[in-house]
């Protein structure tokens, strides 16, 4: 049977195609399988003899040499010169400023005092490489900020308290001190110092423990405790001085870093990812640009990513889900050369402003995930965090992780909540047009009968976790014994499972100096009692069937032991009784030694002798059944090791077994299929049941048996050519979400490398770098307790390179950089989808689907949704903003706000609501729901002003800390308003801000007045023109040639007036503004446009 290529597979074909029934588990049936291991489809004639004779042709010397040269050309980065060390900048001088008029202000020196005490107590200061802080130069700050703004901040050194307070009150949520400027320059310079150290190869990664924070600071604006935007300056500095082309900025502060977003939202060289509290715009900074719909502008579309949390109490599982489903896939496609983190810790449990429930252990996980990017070039810059204890513990946890310590286990990881899954879904929808890895969603199958998610009950803070960091003598254990080479094929010197497999691996590890970095452990044979444990179910009793199986297993062990004294002909006959097996006189001893070696490594890990380990053993084991050899395997080493771990731990230790061998581990699956304490996950070639071990045992429909239902997870590839993108997609979408929800205490990997590029049996394309990344991601689980056990892999070069890459990763080296990744194959996504579809009922972490309302508006891509109006309570803007209630926002942040959508008549009362009616375009029915904004503008029919009054404001005000609402807006004034009981599509305008801190930039009207018919000074366009209220130059809007946006970028002038509707837009606030200071210029424009004064409210 010829396998069907995965690219032509459809959902209907997958559902209708017949799968052969699985054979029974007894040896008599197993030995009668029609295809031996190592057989390939007839479409591969060069390997036809493998199927006929059970062996493969030896690769020609030329082919082998070509393969070696090809692998050497890869950027494997396997030379023993990996950087080590974590840089730390901690400057006491940064404590020399505080709020002069409010001793209780949350951004205070005590924050750094608490951090220093924690780091000293845990000995982290001595473990880091300290760097002296330096002041950022003006020209460095000017990479992000205007010279006028920097000069203004510099003058604060000479102001008295009254003057400082007056200036501070012109901004939102800031205070000023005579030392603020000096300290802000030091803070920015501290991050630049680490950029030089990391990119100059002095340290691997680093952290700047600094204040004041920076991510709210804008081009010429203080905001939210921030004066200069440290990570933004660092990104530009890395690009300018170190020729870095791509920078990833991750912002996990609980507040949206609008300053960073506005700096880069048109720049495709910087990918900005922010995960923050939003609550439908009710949480500071109250910007629509903080929502998931803000994806960037122009060439920067898709490079701005917001994950907005719309409720408090978000936990580690929510943050981890966002990283797995959004950040990591996009980041791997983006391929950053440097990762900067705006590391605020105000999302930690106990923070008075964030009110979230993340833990320090959770932030350790996030840090670990980011360490797999950019070759490990990662810098954390402290932002917020206002509970001293949680702040100190959060910084400590991240620093431990940067230093290579294992991530602590999560106390109660669970699964992401419904609100988190909704936010993630919305962000995925907004980003899908821009990233190939997101183009095809894994969840495309029709809905099954999954029980509907129930709303979570009231949030209750968990008990604070006591952090514990293991003290290890050695990091990675290595176990190997030459005696395992004594198992060989007496009749075929070129059988793929040859002794040289392990010797070549060890030679390569030694050549790279990796064996010297590991703790070499002596191997021992497994005892009969250990071998028999894999047939025991439970701890106190065995069923009659299991007793029979236990007895037959004992007979099976005796039968294998008897082969030590058999003659050659008897050995051949005995091997023929099993499927794809050869036996020699040393086979039993080698198999016993291989299994015992893994058990010894398990003992070392559980005893804290080592953190993790690699077992270079043979023969392999994952095909071995309860009482039968199969597929080159005799004893199931991984299964026995799992049972041994549970026995020595004294309880049903939660164990995750990940099997990435290209062949399905039928034996391991059968041993644990009714055991919920062992989660078995296999990724393998299935080819609709035609790939070894044949039948439907490896199908996605195989989920285990009660009480182990859901604890067998199969990702069944239905064709060859699977590579790094396909395995990583499975990791992000399936393997890791389930693994984190399971929360294992030990991870065992059946590490077959026959999916590696160049393997003669697998036909796949996983690279050594790819295996390193898979290993790194698994290392975040189980407190870092992970063991790799060699299974298959039959190209001596690729197996050696792959195992070396994994071992280096276990030793703590960052995974090598991946080359440019193609999108996951459609067949791979189909296989992942099938498994997700099957397991959604068992694992809540998989229930991230497309939002039910498919008419979201990805605003920044320039698309506006044409949709039937939804009934809405005009007084309930909150109800209109919840995707889970199928009423998505019609005004999406900066893109729609900046477009010339009509605003209410100047001077209109705040309670009035502005709506824009669009005639229903019958020609678009049944086609795409999106139309371009320019077409929308041309289709505008009427501007209807409703005089209905809003419902009374029912919001609960936040704590009124100094400056928190200085000049702040009434929240309801920025919400979307409108009515849905019409037959036409309705679009809602945003009621403008009643004030903004940039009104001081408005200059007097020129003596020549205004001419609303004046063309754009750059292109001569007469459509959609705006006038700058600082210099009164006229330029066209974003949907013509965007010359006004360019004007703002060049000169920093914030406020502009539309000649179309006389609305005023502030680029810094990303909002419309209506204020008394604007009435004169608006009235003059109205006179010029209509020949009369504009109407005034009564």
């Amino acid at each position: 049977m010829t396998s069907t290529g995965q690219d032509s597979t459809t959902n209907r074909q997958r559902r209708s195609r017949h799968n052969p029934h699985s054979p029974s588990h007894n040896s008599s049936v197993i030995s009668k399988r029609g295809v031996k291991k190592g057989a390939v489809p007839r479409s591969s004639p060069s390997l036809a003899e493998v199927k006929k004779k059970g062996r493969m042709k030896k690769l020609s010397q030329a082919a082998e040499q070509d393969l070696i040269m090809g692998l050497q050309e890869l950027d494997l980065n396997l030379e023993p010169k990996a950087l080590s060390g974590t840089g730390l900048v901690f400057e006491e001088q940064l404590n020399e400023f505080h709020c002069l008029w409010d001793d209780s202000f949350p951004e205070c020196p005590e924050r750094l005092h608490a951090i220093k005490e924690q780091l000293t107590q845990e000995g982290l200061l001595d473990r880091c490489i300290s760097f002296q802080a330096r002041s950022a130069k003006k020209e460095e700050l000017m990479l992000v900020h205007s010279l006028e703004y920097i000069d203004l901040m510099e003058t604060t050194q000479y102001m008295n308290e009254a003057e400082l307070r007056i200036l501070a009150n012109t901004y939102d949520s800031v205070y000023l001190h005579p030392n603020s400027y000096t300290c802000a320059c030091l803070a920015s310079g501290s991050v630049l110092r680490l950029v030089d150290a990391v990119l100059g190869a002095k340290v691997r990664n680093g952290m700047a423990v600094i204040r004041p924070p920076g991510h709210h600071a804008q081009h010429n604006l203080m905001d939210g405790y921030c004066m200069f935007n440290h990570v933004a300056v660092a990104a530009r500095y890395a690009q300018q001085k170190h020729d870095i082309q791509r920078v990833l900025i991750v912002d996990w502060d609980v507040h949206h870093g609008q300053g960073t977003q506005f700096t880069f939202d048109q720049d495709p060289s910087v990918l900005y990812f922010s995960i923050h509290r939003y609550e439908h715009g009710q949480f500071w900074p109250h910007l629509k640009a903080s929502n998931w719909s803000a994806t960037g502008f122009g060439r920067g579309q898709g490079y701005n990513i917001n994950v907005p949390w719309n409720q408090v109490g978000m936990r580690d599982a929510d943050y981890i889900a966002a990283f797995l489903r959004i950040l990591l896939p996009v980041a791997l496609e983006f391929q950053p050369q440097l990762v900067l983190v705006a590391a605020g810790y105000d999302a930690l449990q106990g923070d008075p402003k964030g009110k979230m429930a993340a833990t320090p252990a959770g932030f350790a996980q996030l840090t670990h995930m980011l360490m797999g990017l950019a070759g490990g070039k990662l810098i954390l810059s402290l932002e917020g965090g206002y509970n001293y204890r949680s702040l100190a513990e959060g910084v400590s946890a991240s620093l431990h992780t940067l230093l290579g310590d294992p991530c602590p286990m999560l106390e109660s990881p669970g699964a992401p909540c419904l609100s988190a899954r909704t936010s993630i879904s919305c962000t995925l929808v907004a980003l899908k047009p821009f990233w190939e890895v997101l183009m095809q969603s894994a969840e495309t199958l029709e809905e099954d009968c999954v029980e509907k998610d129930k709303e979570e009950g009231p949030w209750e803070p968990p008990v604070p976790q006591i952090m514990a960091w293991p003290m290890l003598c050695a990091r990675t254990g290595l176990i190997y014994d030459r005696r395992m080479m004594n198992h060989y094929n007496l009749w075929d010197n070129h059988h793929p499972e040859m002794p040289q497999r392990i010797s070549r691996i060890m030679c390569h590890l030694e050549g790279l100096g990796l064996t010297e970095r590991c703790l070499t452990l002596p191997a021992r044979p497994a005892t009969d009692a250990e071998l028999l444990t894999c047939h025991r179910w439970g701890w106190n009793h065995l069923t009659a069937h299991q007793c029979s199986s236990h007895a037959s297993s004992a007979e099976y062990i005796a039968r294998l032991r008897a082969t030590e004294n058999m003659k050659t002909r008897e050995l051949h006959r005995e091997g023929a009784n099993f499927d794809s097996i050869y036996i020699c006189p040393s086979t039993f001893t080698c198999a016993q030694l291989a299994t015992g070696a893994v058990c010894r490594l398990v003992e070392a890990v559980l005893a804290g002798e080592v953190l993790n380990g690699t077992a270079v053993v043979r023969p392999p084991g994952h095909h071995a059944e309860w009482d039968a050899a199969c597929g080159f395997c005799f004893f199931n080493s991984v299964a026995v090791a799992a049972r041994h771990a549970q026995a020595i731990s004294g309880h049903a230790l939660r164990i995750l077994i990940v099997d990435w061998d290209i062949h399905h581990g039928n034996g391991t699956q059968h041993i644990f299929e009714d055991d919920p304490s062992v989660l078995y996950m296999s990724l393998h070639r299935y080819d609709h049941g035609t790939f070894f071990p044949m039948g439907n045992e490896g199908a996605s429909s195989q989920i285990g048996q009660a009480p182990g239902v859901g604890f067998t997870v199969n990702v069944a590839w239905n064709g060859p050519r699977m590579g790094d993108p396909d395995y990583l997609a499975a990791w992000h979408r399936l393997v890791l979400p389930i693994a984190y929800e399971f929360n294992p205490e030990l991870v065992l990997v059946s590490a077959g490398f026959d999916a590696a590029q160049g393997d003669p049996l697998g036909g796949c394309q996983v690279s050594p770098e790819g295996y390193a990344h898979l290993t790194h991601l698994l290392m975040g689980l189980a407190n870092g307790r992970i063991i790799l056990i060699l299974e298959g892999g039959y190209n001596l070069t690729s197996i050696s390179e792959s195992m070396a890459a994994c071992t280096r990763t276990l030793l703590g080296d960052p995974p090598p950089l991946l080359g440019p990744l193609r999108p996951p194959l459609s067949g791979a996504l189909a296989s992942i989808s099938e498994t997700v579809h099957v397991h959604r009922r068992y694992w809540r972490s998989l229930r991230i689907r497309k939002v039910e309302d498919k008419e979201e508006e990805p605003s920044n891509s320039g698309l506006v949704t044409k949709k039937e109006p939804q009934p809405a309570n005009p007084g309930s803007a909150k109800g209109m903003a919840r995707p889970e209630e199928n009423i998505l926002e019609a005004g999406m942040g900066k893109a729609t706000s900046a477009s010339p959508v009509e605003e209410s008549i100047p001077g209109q009362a705040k309670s009035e609501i502005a709506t824009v009616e669009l005639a229903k375009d019958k020609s678009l029915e049944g086609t795409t729901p999106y139309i371009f904004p320019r077409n929308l503008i041309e289709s505008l029919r009427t501007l209807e002003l409703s005089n209905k009054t809003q419902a009374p404001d029912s919001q609960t005000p936040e704590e009124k800390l100094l400056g928190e609402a200085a000049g702040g807006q009434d929240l309801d004034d920025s919400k979307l308003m409108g009515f849905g009981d019409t037959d036409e599509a309705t679009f809602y305008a945003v009621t403008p801000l009643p004030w903004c801190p940039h009104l001081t930039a408005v200059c007097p009207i020129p003596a020549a007045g205004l001419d609303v018919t004046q063309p754009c000074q750059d292109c001569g366009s007469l459509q959609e023109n705006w006038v700058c209220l600082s210099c009164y130059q006229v330029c066209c809007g974003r949907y013509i040639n965007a010359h006004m946006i360019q004007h703002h970028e060049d000169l920093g002038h914030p406020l502009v007036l539309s000649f179309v509707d006389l609305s005023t837009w502030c680029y810094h606030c990303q909002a419309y503004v209506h204020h008394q200071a604007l009435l004169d210029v608006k009235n003059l424009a109205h006179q010029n446009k209509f020949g009369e004064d504009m109407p005034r409210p009564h």
Side-chain angles (χ1 to χ4, degrees):
M1 179 183 295
T2 302
S3 63
T4 303
Q6 69 275 7
D7 290 330
S8 62
T9 303
T10 65
N11 294 341
R12 179 176 298 177
Q13 289 171 331
R14 287 198 305 274
R15 286 193 292 270
S16 63
R17 189 172 281 114
H18 172 70
N19 289 325
H21 291 291
S22 172
S24 302
H25 300 170
N26 62 69
S27 60
S28 63
V29 177
I30 291 174
S31 64
K32 295 180 181 179
R33 287 175 173 143
V35 178
K36 297 287 186 179
K37 181 177 180 181
V40 297
R42 292 192 179 97
S43 59
S44 302
S46 62
L47 292 176
E49 192 174 351
V50 177
K51 179 177 180 180
K52 181 178 180 180
K53 299 181 180 181
R55 67 185 185 181
M56 59 173 254
K57 289 184 176 181
K58 184 179 182 181
L59 291 174
S60 67
Q61 184 175 1
E64 178 77 7
Q65 187 63 30
D66 288 344
L67 181 60
I68 293 173
M69 293 180 64
L71 286 168
Q72 288 175 343
E73 290 174 358
L74 296 173
D75 184 17
L76 301 180
N77 192 27
L78 292 176
E79 297 81 5
K81 58 179 183 182
L83 291 174
S84 61
T86 294
L88 177 67
V89 178
F90 194 113
E91 177 57 59
E92 294 286 353
Q93 189 178 345
L94 295 176
N95 288 322
E96 294 179 358
F97 75 101
H98 62 277
C99 183
L100 298 171
W101 51 88
D102 185 354
D103 292 336
S104 64
F105 200 90
E107 207 299 287
C108 58
E110 285 74 18
R111 298 175 63 234
L112 297 196
H113 294 327
I115 293 173
K116 182 176 182 180
E117 182 179 352
Q118 185 78 24
L119 301 186
T120 302
Q121 179 181 337
E122 298 186 20
L124 294 177
L125 294 177
D126 294 334
R127 293 178 59 190
C128 295
I129 299 174
S130 295
F131 288 89
Q132 184 69 36
R134 72 166 177 88
S135 291
K137 302 174 184 177
K138 275 192 178 182
E139 54 267 29
E140 292 167 343
L141 296 175
M142 287 172 61
L143 294 171
V144 171
H145 301 285
S146 69
L147 178 60
E148 295 80 4
Y149 171 69
I150 298 170
D151 287 342
L152 175 62
M153 294 298 103
E154 187 177 25
T155 63
T156 61
Q157 300 175 94
Y158 315 107
M159 293 182 182
N160 59 38
E161 180 176 336
E163 294 169 330
L164 291 168
R165 189 164 188 173
I166 290 172
L167 180 58
N169 285 340
T170 64
Y171 301 110
D172 186 6
S173 306
V174 302
Y175 69 82
L176 285 167
H177 183 281
N179 291 333
S180 291
Y181 174 78
T182 300
C183 291
C185 290
L186 270 175
S188 287
S190 298
V191 185
L192 301 186
R193 179 77 78 185
L194 288 178
V195 169
D196 288 334
V198 170
L199 297 181
K202 295 179 180 178
V203 292
R204 177 183 298 167
N205 52 45
M207 186 171 193
V209 182
I210 56 177
R211 58 181 291 266
H215 66 145
H216 299 305
Q218 300 168 44
H219 179 64
N220 56 3
L221 179 70
M222 286 189 74
D223 207 352
Y225 312 165
C226 304
M227 180 179 289
F228 298 132
N229 197 313
H230 315 308
V231 293
V233 172
R236 288 289 185 235
Y237 178 81
Q239 291 178 326
Q240 183 187 73
K241 180 176 180 180
H242 296 278
D243 198 28
I244 293 297
Q245 303 300 313
R246 296 176 304 280
V247 179
L248 167 63
I249 297 177
V250 177
D251 191 336
W252 66 45
D253 189 280
V254 82
H255 300 91
H256 176 232
Q258 79 275 28
T260 312
Q261 173 172 312
F262 297 160
T263 301
F264 301 111
D265 58 5
Q266 298 184 65
D267 186 351
S269 71
V270 177
L271 175 62
Y272 176 66
F273 174 93
S274 178
I275 184 167
H276 51 266
R277 182 178 167 190
Y278 180 62
E279 293 192 281
H280 309 291
Q282 296 185 58
F283 190 68
W284 197 90
H286 314 303
L287 297 176
K288 298 301 297 179
S290 305
N291 204 6
W292 53 266
S293 52
T295 58
F297 300 120
R299 295 177 63 243
Q301 287 180 320
Y303 292 87
N304 187 84
I305 303 175
N306 286 326
V307 181
W309 293 146
N310 286 316
Q311 70 180 34
V312 298
M314 303 304 250
R315 300 183 169 110
D316 295 334
D318 305 309
Y319 281 83
I320 289 171
F323 269 52
L324 292 178
R325 293 305 304 268
I326 301 174
L327 175 58
L328 293 186
V330 171
L332 287 172
E333 184 174 336
F334 178 67
Q335 294 190 316
Q337 298 163 293
L338 175 67
V339 180
L340 302 173
V341 181
Y345 293 91
D346 36 8
L348 284 168
Q349 178 189 345
D351 191 276
K353 299 187 71 63
K355 298 182 180 178
M356 295 297 178
T359 69
F363 278 102
Q365 293 285 345
L366 304 185
T367 304
H368 175 78
M369 291 180 186
L370 295 178
M371 289 170 68
L373 302 172
K377 296 180 178 65
L378 173 64
I379 298 172
L380 275 60
S381 175
L382 180 64
E383 295 284 353
Y386 307 101
N387 177 298
Y388 302 151
R389 175 180 174 183
S390 60
L391 169 64
E393 291 179 348
V395 171
S396 167
S398 292
L399 202 52
H400 271 288
T401 307
L402 290 174
L403 285 162
D405 295 343
C407 298
M409 285 189 62
L410 303 175
E411 284 296 304
S412 53
C417 67
L418 176 59
S419 180
R421 298 199 300 272
T422 301
S423 294
I424 292 169
S425 297
C426 289
T427 303
L428 287 171
V429 168
L431 293 175
K432 182 181 288 189
F434 309 109
W435 297 98
E436 289 184 328
V437 72
L438 303 179
M439 286 289 187
Q440 302 181 59
S441 173
E443 290 72 59
T444 56
L445 299 182
E446 61 187 39
E447 284 298 317
D448 53 15
C449 56
V450 175
E451 182 181 352
K452 292 294 183 181
D453 289 308
K454 298 179 180 179
E455 287 288 348
E456 289 82 356
W459 171 67
E460 296 181 2
V463 177
Q465 179 181 357
I466 299 177
M467 303 289 290
W469 301 94
M471 301 299 294
L472 300 169
C473 298
R475 181 180 178 93
T476 300
L478 176 64
I479 200 157
Y480 164 77
D481 195 306
R482 283 187 55 84
R483 290 176 293 172
M484 287 181 279
M485 295 182 65
N486 294 333
H487 168 67
Y488 61 95
N489 193 315
L490 297 171
W491 306 273
D492 182 1
N493 293 334
H494 305 304
H495 189 281
E497 209 293 281
M498 60 180 66
Q500 290 85 349
R501 293 174 63 240
I502 58 173
S503 61
R504 281 285 293 272
I505 290 174
M506 289 303 298
C507 286
H508 193 58
L509 296 181
E510 291 171 0
L512 295 174
L514 297 179
T515 54
E516 298 174 2
R517 297 173 59 190
C518 297
L519 176 63
T520 303
L521 299 170
R524 64 166 178 83
T527 66
D528 285 5
E530 290 167 346
L531 295 174
L532 289 172
T533 55
C534 66
H535 301 283
R536 182 187 304 172
W537 182 88
W539 298 97
N540 300 318
H541 65 279
L542 294 172
T543 65
H545 169 74
Q546 289 157 348
C547 288
S548 173
S549 180
H550 192 281
S552 63
S553 295
E555 295 173 2
Y556 167 65
I557 295 172
R559 182 178 177 180
L560 283 183
R561 182 178 277 113
T563 62
E564 293 180 300
N565 300 314
M566 287 184 180
K567 297 179 180 179
T568 302
R569 181 174 298 180
E570 295 173 322
L571 291 170
H572 189 276
R573 185 164 51 249
E574 181 67 5
N577 290 328
F578 301 104
D579 186 5
S580 302
I581 287 294
Y582 69 80
I583 304 176
C584 74
S586 299
T587 294
F588 174 78
T589 300
C590 292
Q592 192 181 32
L593 189 59
T595 303
V598 182
C599 290
R600 172 66 185 93
L601 192 50
V602 164
E603 294 166 358
V605 168
L606 293 184
E609 197 175 345
V610 293
L611 173 63
N612 53 46
T614 298
V616 183
V617 296
R618 65 177 293 272
H622 68 145
H623 293 306
E625 295 281 1
W626 301 56
D627 56 357
C630 179
F632 311 164
C633 305
F634 298 89
F635 298 131
N636 199 311
S637 303
V638 169
V640 173
R643 288 295 185 226
H644 185 58
Q646 292 179 327
I648 62 180
S649 66
H651 68 283
L653 199 71
R654 291 189 309 279
I655 297 177
L656 167 63
I657 297 178
V658 177
D659 190 337
W660 68 44
D661 190 283
I662 196 62
H663 301 92
H664 177 242
N666 51 290
T668 311
Q669 174 173 306
H670 293 150
I671 290 171
F672 297 113
E673 61 189 351
D674 58 355
D675 186 351
S677 72
V678 178
L679 172 61
Y680 176 68
M681 308 183 77
S682 177
L683 300 90
H684 52 269
R685 273 190 70 176
Y686 180 61
D687 292 11
H688 308 288
T690 65
F691 199 77
F692 187 89
M694 310 294 292
N696 69 349
E697 296 167 319
S700 61
S701 57
Q702 297 293 320
I703 58 175
Q705 301 176 4
V709 172
F711 292 88
T712 294
V713 181
N714 286 321
V715 179
W717 305 134
N718 284 313
R721 299 191 293 116
M722 300 300 171
D724 296 346
D726 311 297
Y727 278 80
L728 287 168
W731 245 241
H732 296 149
R733 301 182 182 194
L734 178 67
V735 173
L736 290 173
I738 293 178
Y740 273 104
E741 189 172 347
F742 179 65
N743 199 23
E745 298 168 277
L746 177 66
V747 178
L748 303 176
V749 180
S750 280
F753 295 105
D754 37 9
Q757 53 193 9
D759 191 273
L761 302 187
C764 288
Q765 301 169 349
V766 182
S767 69
E769 302 98 321
Y771 281 119
H773 279 265
L774 302 183
T775 302
H776 174 81
L777 289 170
L778 291 176
M779 288 167 62
L781 301 164
N783 205 195
R785 298 192 296 188
I786 176 174
I787 298 173
L788 271 61
I789 301 102
L790 180 64
E791 295 282 359
Y794 307 102
N795 178 284
L796 299 183
T797 300
S798 59
I799 192 176
S800 301
E801 298 284 5
S802 298
M803 182 60 91
C806 292
T807 303
R808 284 197 60 177
T809 304
L810 291 177
L811 283 164
D813 295 350
L817 291 171
L818 290 167
L821 295 176
R822 59 164 171 77
L825 297 175
S826 59
L829 293 177
S831 296
I832 297 170
S833 295
E834 288 182 350
T835 307
V836 169
H837 183 70
V838 168
H839 280 275
R840 273 203 305 249
R841 68 179 64 238
Y842 309 112
W843 302 98
R844 285 194 299 125
S845 54
L846 300 182
R847 298 176 196 171
I848 296 178
R849 317 181 191 91
K850 292 181 180 179
V851 290
E852 293 181 6
D853 189 332
K854 298 182 180 180
E855 298 177 338
E856 300 87 10
E857 175 186 350
S859 65
N860 293 355
S861 63
L863 302 176
V864 179
T865 304
K866 179 178 183 295
K867 55 184 283 187
E868 292 297 325
Q870 299 284 351
N873 177 0
S876 176
K878 184 176 181 180
M880 296 176 58
R882 289 186 176 178
E884 59 263 40
E885 294 176 8
N886 295 330
I887 307 172
L888 292 177
E889 302 154 13
M892 297 299 181
K894 326 198 260 200
T896 50
S897 298
S899 65
V901 177
E902 304 297 313
E903 71 154 319
S904 20
I905 292 177
Q908 178 184 1
K910 292 182 184 179
S911 61
E912 294 180 326
I913 304 166
T915 65
V916 178
E917 297 292 325
L918 173 65
K920 193 174 183 181
D921 187 349
K922 300 292 183 182
S923 66
L924 293 180
E925 290 184 358
T927 62
T928 174
Y930 299 126
I931 59 176
F932 284 98
R934 188 177 301 178
N935 297 334
L936 167 63
I937 296 166
E938 294 170 354
S939 302
L940 287 175
R941 256 187 353 169
T942 59
L943 174 64
E944 298 184 0
L945 298 176
S946 169
N947 292 319
K948 298 185 180 291
T949 304
Q950 300 178 29
D953 184 3
S954 60
Q955 77 175 63
T956 302
E958 293 189 67
E959 295 176 321
K960 299 295 183 179
L961 296 171
L962 171 68
E964 188 71 12
Q969 67 191 75
D970 183 344
L971 296 185
D972 281 345
D973 289 343
S974 64
K975 295 179 184 175
L976 300 175
M977 306 299 175
F979 305 95
D981 296 326
T982 70
D983 293 330
E984 297 175 334
T986 303
F987 290 82
Y988 303 94
V990 179
T991 305
L993 301 177
W995 177 93
C996 93
H998 312 102
L999 291 170
T1000 55
V1002 177
C1003 293
I1005 302 171
L1010 295 178
D1011 180 3
V1012 297
T1013 64
Q1014 185 176 345
C1016 172
Q1017 66 174 18
D1018 292 324
C1019 66
S1021 171
L1022 295 173
Q1023 294 182 322
E1024 196 199 325
N1025 286 332
W1026 299 69
V1027 60
C1028 174
L1029 296 183
S1030 295
C1031 65
Y1032 289 92
Q1033 295 185 25
V1034 176
C1035 299
C1036 61
R1038 76 173 65 249
Y1039 297 122
I1040 306 302
N1041 292 310
H1043 285 131
M1044 183 54 80
I1045 295 177
Q1046 188 61 49
H1047 176 80
H1048 162 69
E1049 290 295 323
D1050 293 342
L1051 301 179
H1053 296 168
L1055 287 154
V1056 293
L1057 174 71
S1058 169
F1059 282 165
V1060 176
D1061 63 1
L1062 308 186
S1063 61
T1064 307
W1065 173 258
C1066 178
Y1067 283 106
H1068 292 322
C1069 293
Q1070 290 295 304
Y1072 289 106
V1073 180
H1074 182 64
H1075 186 266
Q1076 185 73 25
L1078 302 170
L1079 292 183
D1080 288 344
V1081 68
K1082 284 193 173 189
N1083 188 58
L1084 184 60
H1086 194 277
Q1087 290 174 344
N1088 186 263
K1089 188 177 181 74
F1090 301 108
E1092 60 182 18
D1093 289 342
M1094 67 181 182
R1096 300 280 180 162
H1098 297 292

